[in-house]
Amino acid sequence: MGMGAFIIYFLLLMGIPLWAQSKVKRAYKKYSNVPNSSGMTGAEVAQRILHENAIYDVRVEPVKGKLTDHYDPSKKVVRLSEGNYNKRTVAAQAIAAHEVGHAIQDAEDYAFLRVRSKLVPAATTGSNFSFIFILAGILLQSQGMLLAGIVFMSAAVLFQVVTLPVEFNASSRAMTQVVSTGIIKNNEEKETKKVLDAAALTYVAAALVAVLELVRFIAMYFMMDD
């Protein structure tokens, strides 16, 4: 890889996640200050959608931190960051609806969510060991070590790629639910979608960076073969 190509690659690797994170932070900051028309907190929105879908075995709990919202399928819990749990804003209702979207996926045994869950052990192992083998392969000029690192990394990259349809589907479900349940009015649809789209960018960025890294090491493997 020439110096120019390396600089471009490095800028992409660093710039894409930073750009995505800045989009999320700007959207979240903006719409965290916009009251929603329903007057419902994020927790109330989550409970409303769960009950509308006849899901009664999922709890909604607050969790410390900012943008730490997530759904835990192993414990059947939607965890909302304290701000989103208690606030009555466009951002809070959008994020709450998105996390409940994952709970609906779980209840319906959504295929990609099931695949992603099964990939967790392999992805965790891949993340922990890939760079050890890759670094050893590069330093020792060992194709075998480098290939082992690529295999480990592939599991982690596959997890990132499978995460994309899971997240996009959860956002799609979120929009459908907040509209069909009457939680949002027409003028809030555009604002809610902006929050969901900004959040989705972080997953797209993570997957793109992971794929770029994997491609780079695969190219290095074949160059080493030469």
Side-chain angles (χ1 to χ4, degrees):
M1 182 183 291
M3 182 57 69
F6 176 78
I7 292 172
I8 293 172
Y9 171 81
F10 180 77
L11 290 174
L12 285 173
L13 208 62
M14 298 298 292
I16 291 171
L18 291 174
W19 172 74
Q21 288 171 15
S22 69
K23 290 277 289 184
V24 172
K25 288 178 181 177
R26 284 200 302 270
Y28 181 72
K29 183 178 180 180
K30 179 178 180 180
Y31 293 109
S32 286
N33 293 311
V34 178
N36 59 35
S37 59
S38 68
M40 298 170 69
T41 65
E44 290 169 341
V45 167
Q47 289 286 8
R48 169 79 173 273
I49 297 174
L50 286 169
H51 291 168
E52 287 286 339
N53 287 271
I55 299 174
Y56 301 104
D57 61 342
V58 173
R59 304 189 310 278
V60 181
E61 299 177 350
V63 63
K64 291 184 178 181
K66 188 175 182 180
L67 292 175
T68 49
D69 315 80
H70 63 280
Y71 171 63
D72 184 344
S74 64
K75 296 184 178 178
K76 302 288 186 182
V77 180
V78 169
R79 296 192 178 97
L80 301 177
S81 55
E82 291 174 339
N84 292 328
Y85 186 90
N86 295 306
K87 286 188 176 180
R88 306 171 193 274
T89 65
V90 169
Q93 71 184 9
I95 292 171
H98 174 88
E99 298 308 332
V100 174
H102 289 307
I104 297 173
Q105 289 174 337
D106 191 19
E108 295 181 0
D109 201 24
Y110 179 59
F112 281 107
L113 182 66
R114 188 168 66 250
V115 171
R116 187 177 72 167
S117 296
K118 289 181 178 179
L119 283 172
V120 170
T124 301
T125 302
S127 295
N128 291 337
F129 291 100
S130 59
F131 278 100
I132 295 173
F133 283 96
I134 286 171
L135 185 59
I138 293 171
L139 293 176
L140 301 174
Q141 286 295 291
S142 168
Q143 271 192 300
M145 287 283 194
L146 185 56
L147 182 59
I150 289 170
V151 171
F152 276 117
M153 179 179 278
S154 296
V157 172
L158 181 59
F159 179 82
Q160 295 278 10
V161 172
V162 171
T163 291
L164 292 179
V166 174
E167 295 300 329
F168 280 111
N169 180 264
S171 288
S172 177
R173 290 172 187 267
M175 281 300 302
T176 299
Q177 292 298 321
V178 292
V179 171
S180 65
T181 56
I183 291 172
I184 67 173
K185 309 301 180 186
N186 290 336
N187 62 330
E188 283 181 297
E189 287 186 37
K190 186 176 180 181
E191 296 172 330
T192 301
K193 192 172 187 304
K194 283 183 178 179
V195 176
L196 294 172
D197 287 348
L201 275 178
T202 61
Y203 296 101
V204 173
L208 183 56
V209 167
V211 170
L212 283 172
E213 278 283 77
L214 181 61
V215 169
R216 180 167 75 96
F217 291 122
I218 291 173
M220 191 178 294
Y221 172 81
F222 285 108
M223 284 189 291
M224 190 180 291
D225 186 40
D226 292 336

